[in-house]
Coordinates of all heavy atoms in Angstrom, one line a residue:
M1447 N 14.6 -17.3 -43.7 CA 14.7 -17.3 -42.1 C 13.6 -18.2 -41.6 O 12.5 -18.1 -42.0 CB 14.5 -15.9 -41.8 CG 14.9 -15.8 -40.2 SD 14.8 -14.2 -39.6 CE 15.5 -13.1 -40.6
S1448 N 14.0 -19.2 -40.8 CA 13.0 -20.1 -40.2 C 12.1 -19.4 -39.2 O 12.5 -18.3 -38.7 CB 13.8 -21.2 -39.6 OG 14.4 -20.9 -38.4
E1449 N 11.1 -20.2 -38.7 CA 10.2 -19.4 -37.7 C 10.9 -19.3 -36.5 O 10.6 -18.4 -35.7 CB 9.0 -20.5 -37.6 CG 8.0 -20.5 -38.7 CD 7.5 -19.2 -39.0 OE1 7.0 -18.6 -38.0 OE2 7.3 -18.9 -40.2
R1450 N 11.8 -20.3 -36.1 CA 12.6 -20.1 -34.8 C 13.5 -18.8 -34.9 O 13.5 -18.2 -33.8 CB 13.4 -21.3 -34.7 CG 14.1 -21.3 -33.3 CD 15.0 -22.7 -33.2 NE 15.6 -22.8 -31.9 CZ 16.7 -22.4 -31.5 NH1 17.4 -21.6 -32.4 NH2 17.2 -22.5 -30.3
E1451 N 14.1 -18.7 -35.9 CA 15.0 -17.4 -36.1 C 14.2 -16.1 -36.0 O 14.6 -15.2 -35.5 CB 15.8 -17.5 -37.4 CG 16.8 -18.6 -37.3 CD 17.5 -18.7 -38.7 OE1 17.0 -18.3 -39.8 OE2 18.6 -19.4 -38.7
K1452 N 13.0 -16.2 -36.6 CA 12.1 -15.0 -36.6 C 11.7 -14.7 -35.1 O 11.6 -13.6 -34.7 CB 10.9 -15.3 -37.4 CG 11.2 -15.2 -38.9 CD 9.9 -15.4 -39.7 CE 10.2 -15.4 -41.2 NZ 8.9 -15.7 -41.9
A1453 N 11.3 -15.8 -34.4 CA 10.9 -15.6 -33.0 C 12.1 -15.1 -32.2 O 11.8 -14.3 -31.3 CB 10.3 -17.1 -32.6
L1454 N 13.2 -15.6 -32.3 CA 14.3 -15.2 -31.6 C 14.6 -13.8 -31.9 O 14.9 -13.0 -30.9 CB 15.6 -16.0 -31.8 CG 15.5 -17.4 -31.2 CD1 16.7 -18.3 -31.7 CD2 15.4 -17.4 -29.7
R1455 N 14.5 -13.3 -33.0 CA 14.9 -11.9 -33.5 C 13.9 -11.0 -32.8 O 14.1 -10.0 -32.2 CB 14.9 -11.8 -35.0 CG 15.4 -10.5 -35.4 CD 15.5 -10.3 -36.9 NE 14.4 -9.5 -37.2 CZ 13.3 -9.8 -38.2 NH1 13.6 -10.8 -39.0 NH2 12.4 -9.0 -38.5
L1456 N 12.6 -11.4 -32.9 CA 11.5 -10.7 -32.4 C 11.8 -10.6 -30.8 O 11.6 -9.4 -30.1 CB 10.1 -11.3 -32.6 CG 8.9 -10.7 -32.0 CD1 8.8 -9.2 -32.6 CD2 7.7 -11.4 -32.2
L1457 N 12.1 -11.6 -30.2 CA 12.3 -11.6 -28.7 C 13.5 -10.7 -28.3 O 13.3 -9.9 -27.3 CB 12.7 -13.0 -28.2 CG 12.8 -13.2 -26.7 CD1 11.6 -12.8 -26.0 CD2 13.1 -14.7 -26.4
R1458 N 14.5 -10.8 -29.2 CA 15.6 -9.8 -29.0 C 15.2 -8.3 -29.1 O 15.6 -7.5 -28.3 CB 16.9 -10.1 -29.9 CG 17.7 -11.3 -29.4 CD 19.0 -11.4 -30.2 NE 18.6 -11.6 -31.6 CZ 18.7 -12.9 -32.2 NH1 18.9 -14.0 -31.4 NH2 18.3 -13.1 -33.5
E1459 N 14.4 -8.0 -30.0 CA 13.9 -6.7 -30.3 C 13.0 -6.2 -29.0 O 13.2 -5.0 -28.6 CB 13.1 -6.6 -31.5 CG 14.0 -6.7 -32.7 CD 13.2 -6.8 -34.1 OE1 12.0 -6.7 -34.0 OE2 13.8 -6.9 -35.1
V1460 N 12.3 -7.1 -28.6 CA 11.3 -6.7 -27.5 C 12.2 -6.5 -26.2 O 12.0 -5.6 -25.3 CB 10.3 -7.8 -27.2 CG1 9.7 -7.7 -25.9 CG2 9.3 -7.9 -28.3
R1461 N 13.3 -7.4 -25.9 CA 14.1 -7.2 -24.8 C 14.9 -5.9 -24.8 O 15.3 -5.4 -23.8 CB 15.0 -8.4 -24.7 CG 14.5 -9.6 -23.9 CD 15.5 -10.6 -23.7 NE 15.0 -11.5 -22.6 CZ 15.7 -12.2 -21.9 NH1 17.0 -12.2 -22.1 NH2 15.2 -13.0 -21.1
K1462 N 15.2 -5.4 -26.0 CA 16.0 -4.3 -26.2 C 15.2 -3.0 -25.7 O 15.6 -2.1 -25.2 CB 16.4 -3.9 -27.5 CG 17.6 -4.9 -28.0 CD 17.9 -4.5 -29.5 CE 19.1 -5.5 -29.9 NZ 19.4 -5.2 -31.3
R1463 N 13.9 -3.1 -25.8 CA 12.9 -2.0 -25.5 C 12.6 -2.1 -23.9 O 12.2 -1.0 -23.4 CB 11.7 -2.1 -26.3 CG 11.9 -1.7 -27.7 CD 10.7 -1.7 -28.5 NE 10.1 -3.0 -28.7 CZ 9.0 -3.2 -29.2 NH1 8.2 -2.4 -29.5 NH2 8.6 -4.4 -29.3
I1464 N 12.9 -3.1 -23.3 CA 12.6 -3.2 -21.8 C 13.7 -2.6 -21.1 O 14.8 -2.8 -21.3 CB 12.5 -4.6 -21.5 CG1 11.2 -5.3 -22.2 CG2 12.1 -4.8 -20.0 CD1 11.1 -6.9 -21.9
D1465 N 13.3 -1.7 -20.0 CA 14.3 -1.1 -19.2 C 15.1 -2.2 -18.5 O 14.5 -3.1 -17.9 CB 13.5 -0.2 -18.2 CG 14.4 0.5 -17.3 OD1 15.5 0.8 -17.6 OD2 14.0 1.0 -16.2
P1466 N 16.4 -2.1 -18.4 CA 17.2 -3.1 -17.9 C 16.9 -3.3 -16.3 O 16.9 -4.4 -15.8 CB 18.7 -2.6 -17.9 CG 18.6 -1.7 -19.1 CD 17.2 -1.1 -19.1
E1467 N 16.5 -2.3 -15.7 CA 16.2 -2.4 -14.2 C 14.8 -3.2 -14.1 O 14.8 -4.0 -13.2 CB 15.9 -1.0 -13.6 CG 15.7 -1.0 -12.1 CD 15.4 0.4 -11.6 OE1 16.3 1.3 -12.0 OE2 14.6 0.6 -10.7
V1468 N 13.9 -3.0 -14.9 CA 12.6 -3.7 -15.0 C 12.9 -5.3 -15.2 O 12.4 -6.2 -14.6 CB 11.6 -3.2 -15.9 CG1 10.5 -4.0 -16.0 CG2 11.2 -1.8 -15.5
L1469 N 13.8 -5.4 -16.2 CA 14.2 -6.8 -16.5 C 14.8 -7.6 -15.4 O 14.6 -8.7 -15.0 CB 15.1 -6.9 -17.8 CG 15.3 -8.2 -18.4 CD1 14.1 -8.9 -18.9 CD2 16.4 -8.0 -19.6
A1470 N 15.8 -6.8 -14.6 CA 16.4 -7.4 -13.5 C 15.4 -7.7 -12.4 O 15.5 -8.9 -11.8 CB 17.5 -6.5 -13.0
R1471 N 14.5 -6.9 -12.1 CA 13.5 -7.0 -11.1 C 12.6 -8.4 -11.5 O 12.2 -9.2 -10.6 CB 12.4 -5.9 -10.9 CG 13.1 -4.8 -10.2 CD 12.0 -3.8 -9.9 NE 12.5 -2.6 -9.3 CZ 11.8 -1.5 -9.1 NH1 10.5 -1.3 -9.5 NH2 12.3 -0.4 -8.7
A1472 N 12.2 -8.5 -12.8 CA 11.4 -9.6 -13.3 C 12.2 -10.9 -13.1 O 11.7 -11.9 -12.6 CB 11.0 -9.4 -14.7
Q1473 N 13.4 -10.8 -13.4 CA 14.3 -12.1 -13.3 C 14.4 -12.5 -11.9 O 14.4 -13.6 -11.4 CB 15.7 -11.8 -13.9 CG 15.6 -11.9 -15.4 CD 16.9 -11.5 -16.0 OE1 17.9 -11.0 -15.3 NE2 17.1 -11.8 -17.3
K1474 N 14.6 -11.5 -10.9 CA 14.8 -11.7 -9.5 C 13.4 -12.2 -8.9 O 13.5 -13.4 -8.1 CB 15.0 -10.5 -8.7 CG 15.4 -10.5 -7.3 CD 15.6 -9.3 -6.7 CE 15.9 -9.4 -5.2 NZ 16.3 -8.2 -4.5
A1475 N 12.3 -11.8 -9.3 CA 11.0 -12.2 -8.8 C 10.8 -13.7 -9.4 O 10.3 -14.5 -8.7 CB 9.9 -11.4 -9.3
A1476 N 11.2 -14.0 -10.7 CA 11.0 -15.3 -11.2 C 11.9 -16.3 -10.4 O 11.4 -17.5 -10.1 CB 11.4 -15.3 -12.7
M1477 N 13.1 -15.9 -10.1 CA 13.9 -16.9 -9.2 C 13.3 -17.1 -7.9 O 13.3 -18.4 -7.4 CB 15.3 -16.3 -9.1 CG 16.1 -16.2 -10.5 SD 16.5 -17.7 -11.2 CE 17.7 -18.4 -10.2
I1478 N 12.8 -16.1 -7.3 CA 12.1 -16.4 -6.0 C 10.9 -17.1 -6.0 O 10.7 -18.1 -5.2 CB 11.8 -15.0 -5.3 CG1 13.2 -14.2 -4.9 CG2 10.9 -15.0 -4.1 CD1 12.9 -12.8 -4.5
Q1479 N 10.2 -17.0 -7.1 CA 8.9 -17.8 -7.2 C 9.2 -19.2 -7.5 O 8.4 -20.0 -7.0 CB 8.2 -17.2 -8.7 CG 6.8 -17.8 -8.8 CD 5.8 -17.3 -7.7 OE1 5.8 -16.3 -7.2 NE2 4.8 -18.2 -7.5
I1480 N 10.3 -19.6 -8.2 CA 10.6 -21.0 -8.4 C 11.3 -21.6 -7.2 O 11.6 -22.7 -7.3 CB 11.2 -21.3 -9.7 CG1 12.6 -20.5 -9.8 CG2 10.3 -20.9 -10.9 CD1 13.4 -21.0 -11.0
G1481 N 11.7 -20.7 -6.3 CA 12.3 -21.4 -5.1 C 13.8 -21.2 -5.0 O 14.4 -21.8 -4.2
H1482 N 14.4 -20.5 -6.0 CA 15.9 -20.4 -6.0 C 16.2 -19.1 -5.3 O 15.5 -18.2 -5.3 CB 16.4 -20.3 -7.5 CG 16.4 -21.5 -8.1 ND1 17.4 -22.5 -8.1 CD2 15.4 -22.1 -9.0 CE1 17.0 -23.6 -8.9 NE2 15.9 -23.3 -9.5
A1483 N 17.4 -19.1 -4.8 CA 17.8 -17.8 -4.0 C 18.1 -16.8 -5.1 O 18.7 -17.1 -6.2 CB 19.0 -18.0 -3.1
A1484 N 17.7 -15.6 -4.8 CA 18.0 -14.6 -5.8 C 19.5 -14.2 -5.7 O 20.1 -14.2 -4.6 CB 17.3 -13.2 -5.4
P1485 N 20.0 -13.9 -6.9 CA 21.5 -13.5 -6.9 C 21.7 -12.3 -6.2 O 20.8 -11.4 -6.2 CB 21.7 -13.4 -8.5 CG 20.4 -13.2 -9.0 CD 19.4 -13.9 -8.2
P1486 N 22.8 -12.1 -5.5 CA 23.1 -10.8 -4.9 C 23.2 -9.6 -5.8 O 23.6 -9.9 -6.9 CB 24.4 -11.1 -4.1 CG 25.0 -12.2 -4.9 CD 23.9 -12.9 -5.4
E1487 N 22.9 -8.5 -5.4 CA 22.9 -7.4 -6.2 C 24.3 -7.0 -6.4 O 25.1 -7.0 -5.4 CB 22.1 -6.1 -5.6 CG 20.6 -6.4 -5.6 CD 19.8 -5.2 -5.2 OE1 20.3 -4.0 -5.3 OE2 18.7 -5.3 -4.6
P1488 N 24.6 -6.5 -7.6 CA 26.0 -6.3 -8.0 C 26.4 -5.1 -7.2 O 25.7 -4.0 -6.9 CB 26.1 -6.0 -9.4 CG 24.7 -5.8 -9.9 CD 23.8 -6.5 -8.9
E1489 N 27.6 -4.9 -6.7 CA 28.1 -3.8 -5.8 C 28.8 -2.8 -6.9 O 29.5 -3.2 -7.7 CB 29.2 -4.4 -5.0 CG 29.7 -3.4 -3.9 CD 30.7 -4.0 -2.9 OE1 31.5 -4.7 -3.4 OE2 30.4 -3.7 -1.7
N1490 N 28.4 -1.6 -6.7 CA 29.0 -0.6 -7.6 C 30.3 -0.2 -7.1 O 30.7 -0.4 -5.9 CB 27.9 0.6 -7.7 CG 27.8 1.4 -6.5 OD1 28.6 1.2 -5.5 ND2 26.7 2.2 -6.4
E1491 N 31.0 0.5 -7.9 CA 32.4 0.9 -7.8 C 32.5 1.9 -6.4 O 33.5 1.6 -5.6 CB 33.0 1.6 -8.8 CG 34.4 2.0 -8.8 CD 35.1 2.7 -9.9 OE1 34.3 3.1 -10.7 OE2 36.3 2.7 -9.8
A1492 N 31.6 2.7 -6.3 CA 31.7 3.7 -5.2 C 31.5 3.0 -3.8 O 32.3 3.3 -2.9 CB 30.6 4.7 -5.3
S1493 N 30.6 2.0 -3.8 CA 30.4 1.3 -2.5 C 31.6 0.3 -2.3 O 32.1 0.3 -1.1 CB 29.2 0.3 -2.7 OG 29.1 -0.5 -1.7
R1494 N 32.2 -0.3 -3.2 CA 33.4 -1.0 -3.2 C 34.6 -0.2 -2.6 O 35.3 -0.6 -1.7 CB 33.6 -1.7 -4.5 CG 34.8 -2.8 -4.4 CD 35.2 -3.3 -5.8 NE 35.3 -2.5 -6.8 CZ 36.4 -1.8 -7.1 NH1 37.5 -1.9 -6.4 NH2 36.5 -0.8 -8.1
L1495 N 34.8 0.9 -3.3 CA 35.9 1.7 -2.7 C 35.7 2.3 -1.4 O 36.6 2.4 -0.6 CB 36.1 2.9 -3.7 CG 36.6 2.5 -5.1 CD1 36.6 3.7 -6.1 CD2 38.1 1.9 -5.0
F1496 N 34.5 2.6 -1.0 CA 34.2 3.0 0.4 C 34.5 2.0 1.3 O 35.1 2.3 2.4 CB 32.7 3.5 0.3 CG 32.4 4.1 1.7 CD1 32.8 5.4 2.1 CD2 31.6 3.4 2.6 CE1 32.4 5.9 3.3 CE2 31.3 3.9 3.8 CZ 31.6 5.1 4.2
K1497 N 34.1 0.7 1.1 CA 34.3 -0.4 2.0 C 35.9 -0.6 2.2 O 36.4 -0.9 3.2 CB 33.6 -1.6 1.5 CG 32.2 -1.5 1.8 CD 31.5 -2.8 1.2 CE 30.0 -2.7 1.3 NZ 29.3 -3.9 0.7
Q1498 N 36.6 -0.5 1.0 CA 38.0 -0.6 1.1 C 38.7 0.4 1.8 O 39.6 0.1 2.6 CB 38.6 -0.7 -0.4 CG 38.3 -2.0 -1.1 CD 39.0 -2.0 -2.5 OE1 39.5 -1.0 -2.9 NE2 38.8 -3.0 -3.1
A1499 N 38.3 1.6 1.7 CA 38.8 2.7 2.5 C 38.7 2.6 3.9 O 39.5 3.0 4.7 CB 38.2 4.1 1.9
L1500 N 37.4 2.1 4.4 CA 37.2 1.9 5.8 C 37.7 0.7 6.4 O 37.7 0.6 7.7 CB 35.7 2.1 6.0 CG 35.1 3.5 5.7 CD1 33.6 3.4 6.0 CD2 35.7 4.5 6.4
A1501 N 38.1 -0.2 5.5 CA 38.5 -1.5 6.1 C 39.9 -1.3 6.8 O 40.7 -0.5 6.5 CB 38.7 -2.5 5.0
N1502 N 40.1 -2.1 7.9 CA 41.4 -2.2 8.7 C 41.6 -0.8 9.2 O 42.8 -0.3 9.3 CB 42.5 -2.7 7.8 CG 42.3 -4.1 7.5 OD1 41.8 -4.9 8.2 ND2 42.7 -4.4 6.3
G1503 N 40.7 -0.1 9.8 CA 40.9 1.2 10.4 C 41.3 2.3 9.4 O 42.0 3.1 9.7
G1504 N 40.9 2.1 8.2 CA 41.2 3.1 7.1 C 42.6 3.0 6.5 O 43.3 4.0 6.2
A1505 N 43.2 1.8 6.7 CA 44.7 1.7 6.2 C 44.9 2.0 4.7 O 45.9 2.6 4.4 CB 45.1 0.2 6.4
R1506 N 43.9 1.7 3.9 CA 44.1 2.0 2.4 C 43.3 3.3 2.0 O 43.4 3.6 0.8 CB 43.6 0.9 1.5 CG 44.3 -0.4 1.8 CD 43.9 -1.5 0.9 NE 44.1 -1.1 -0.5 CZ 43.5 -1.5 -1.5 NH1 42.6 -2.5 -1.4 NH2 43.7 -1.2 -2.7
R1507 N 43.0 4.1 3.0 CA 42.2 5.3 2.7 C 43.0 6.3 1.7 O 42.5 6.8 0.7 CB 41.9 6.0 4.0 CG 41.0 7.3 3.7 CD 40.7 8.0 5.0 NE 42.1 8.2 5.6 CZ 42.3 9.1 6.4 NH1 41.3 9.8 7.0 NH2 43.5 9.3 6.9
V1508 N 44.2 6.6 2.0 CA 45.0 7.5 1.2 C 45.3 7.0 -0.2 O 45.2 7.7 -1.1 CB 46.4 7.7 2.0 CG1 47.4 8.6 1.2 CG2 46.1 8.5 3.4
E1509 N 45.6 5.7 -0.2 CA 45.7 5.1 -1.6 C 44.4 5.1 -2.5 O 44.5 5.6 -3.5 CB 46.1 3.5 -1.5 CG 46.2 2.8 -2.7 CD 46.5 1.4 -2.4 OE1 46.7 1.0 -1.3 OE2 46.2 0.6 -3.4
I1510 N 43.4 5.0 -1.8 CA 42.1 5.0 -2.6 C 41.8 6.5 -3.0 O 41.3 6.7 -4.1 CB 40.9 4.4 -1.8 CG1 41.2 2.9 -1.7 CG2 39.6 4.6 -2.4 CD1 40.4 2.0 -0.8
L1511 N 42.0 7.4 -2.1 CA 41.9 8.8 -2.4 C 42.7 9.3 -3.7 O 42.3 10.0 -4.4 CB 42.0 9.7 -1.3 CG 41.0 9.6 -0.2 CD1 41.4 10.4 1.1 CD2 39.6 10.1 -0.6
R1512 N 43.9 8.8 -3.6 CA 44.9 9.1 -4.7 C 44.3 8.6 -6.1 O 44.4 9.2 -7.1 CB 46.2 8.6 -4.4 CG 47.0 9.4 -3.4 CD 48.4 8.9 -3.3 NE 49.1 9.7 -2.2 CZ 49.9 9.1 -1.3 NH1 50.3 7.8 -1.4 NH2 50.5 9.8 -0.4
H1513 N 43.8 7.3 -6.0 CA 43.3 6.7 -7.1 C 42.2 7.4 -7.7 O 42.0 7.8 -8.8 CB 42.8 5.2 -6.8 CG 41.9 4.6 -7.8 ND1 42.4 4.2 -9.0 CD2 40.6 4.4 -7.8 CE1 41.4 3.7 -9.8 NE2 40.3 3.8 -9.1
L1514 N 41.2 7.9 -6.8 CA 40.1 8.7 -7.2 C 40.5 10.0 -7.8 O 39.9 10.6 -8.7 CB 39.1 8.9 -6.1 CG 38.4 7.7 -5.6 CD1 37.6 7.8 -4.4 CD2 37.5 7.1 -6.7
E1515 N 41.5 10.6 -7.2 CA 42.0 12.0 -7.6 C 42.6 11.9 -9.0 O 42.3 12.7 -9.8 CB 43.1 12.5 -6.7 CG 43.6 13.9 -7.0 CD 44.7 14.3 -6.1 OE1 45.0 13.7 -5.2 OE2 45.2 15.4 -6.5
R1516 N 43.3 10.7 -9.3 CA 43.9 10.6 -10.6 C 42.7 10.2 -11.6 O 42.7 10.8 -12.8 CB 44.8 9.3 -10.7 CG 46.2 9.6 -10.2 CD 47.2 8.5 -10.4 NE 47.3 8.0 -9.1 CZ 46.9 6.6 -8.8 NH1 46.7 5.8 -9.7 NH2 47.0 6.1 -7.5
K1517 N 41.7 9.5 -11.2 CA 40.6 9.3 -12.1 C 39.8 10.4 -12.5 O 39.4 10.5 -13.7 CB 39.7 8.1 -11.3 CG 38.7 7.7 -12.3 CD 37.8 6.6 -11.6 CE 36.7 6.0 -12.4 NZ 36.0 4.9 -11.9
F1518 N 39.5 11.3 -11.6 CA 38.7 12.4 -11.8 C 39.4 13.8 -12.0 O 38.9 14.9 -12.0 CB 37.7 12.6 -10.7 CG 36.8 11.3 -10.7 CD1 36.9 10.5 -9.6 CD2 35.8 11.3 -11.7 CE1 36.0 9.4 -9.5 CE2 34.9 10.2 -11.6 CZ 35.0 9.2 -10.5
R1519 N 40.8 13.8 -12.2 CA 41.6 15.0 -12.2 C 41.2 15.8 -13.5 O 40.9 17.0 -13.2 CB 43.1 14.7 -12.5 CG 44.0 15.9 -12.6 CD 45.4 15.6 -12.5 NE 45.7 15.3 -11.0 CZ 46.7 14.4 -10.7 NH1 47.1 13.8 -11.6 NH2 46.8 14.2 -9.4
N1520 N 40.9 15.2 -14.6 CA 40.5 16.0 -15.6 C 39.1 16.7 -15.5 O 38.8 17.7 -15.9 CB 40.3 15.1 -16.9 CG 41.7 14.7 -17.4 OD1 42.8 15.3 -17.1 ND2 41.9 13.6 -18.1
K1521 N 38.3 16.1 -14.7 CA 36.9 16.6 -14.5 C 36.8 17.7 -13.5 O 36.0 18.4 -13.5 CB 36.1 15.4 -14.1 CG 35.8 14.5 -15.2 CD 34.8 13.4 -14.7 CE 34.6 12.3 -15.8 NZ 33.8 11.2 -15.4
L1522 N 37.9 17.7 -12.7 CA 38.0 18.7 -11.6 C 38.4 20.1 -12.1 O 38.1 21.0 -11.5 CB 38.8 18.3 -10.5 CG 38.4 17.1 -9.6 CD1 39.4 16.6 -8.7 CD2 37.0 17.4 -9.0
N1523 N 39.3 20.1 -13.1 CA 39.8 21.4 -13.6 C 38.9 22.0 -14.6 O 38.0 21.6 -15.2 CB 41.2 21.1 -14.4 CG 42.2 20.6 -13.3 OD1 42.1 21.0 -12.1 ND2 43.2 19.8 -13.8

């Protein structure tokens, strides 16, 4: 195994031990430091569904509630 491969393996092992949230914060801070716009934070499923349910005066509210009911039916019983 070459020195480069050893260094890459060591870097991967260290990255596995770093909390993903801390890694994301560090990457965001690095992007801001070098003058690039920070990427938008990913939207979670609950937030996305809530926005869809409220859009257009709640037009898709019933559809989204049915989707959630099907998704969590086993957990409710």
Side-chain angles (χ1 to χ4, degrees):
M1447 191 181 311
S1448 71
E1449 291 297 320
R1450 183 177 189 273
E1451 291 171 343
K1452 287 180 185 177
L1454 288 174
R1455 192 179 98 225
L1456 179 63
L1457 184 60
R1458 279 191 295 265
E1459 290 173 4
V1460 169
R1461 276 192 161 196
K1462 285 180 185 177
R1463 291 187 285 174
I1464 297 173
D1465 182 25
E1467 185 177 320
V1468 172
L1469 188 60
R1471 281 186 188 176
Q1473 288 173 343
K1474 183 178 177 181
M1477 293 297 283
I1478 291 171
Q1479 187 69 28
I1480 62 172
H1482 291 276
E1487 293 189 22
E1489 186 175 45
N1490 64 20
E1491 183 180 12
S1493 175
R1494 183 180 53 79
L1495 289 172
F1496 183 74
K1497 286 178 183 176
Q1498 285 179 357
L1500 294 181
N1502 297 327
R1506 295 188 60 205
R1507 185 183 57 162
V1508 174
E1509 176 187 344
I1510 290 170
L1511 288 174
R1512 283 187 189 137
H1513 166 74
L1514 291 173
E1515 183 181 356
R1516 275 184 266 125
K1517 183 175 181 177
F1518 294 108
R1519 179 171 285 145
N1520 294 336
K1521 294 180 183 179
L1522 294 175
N1523 293 334

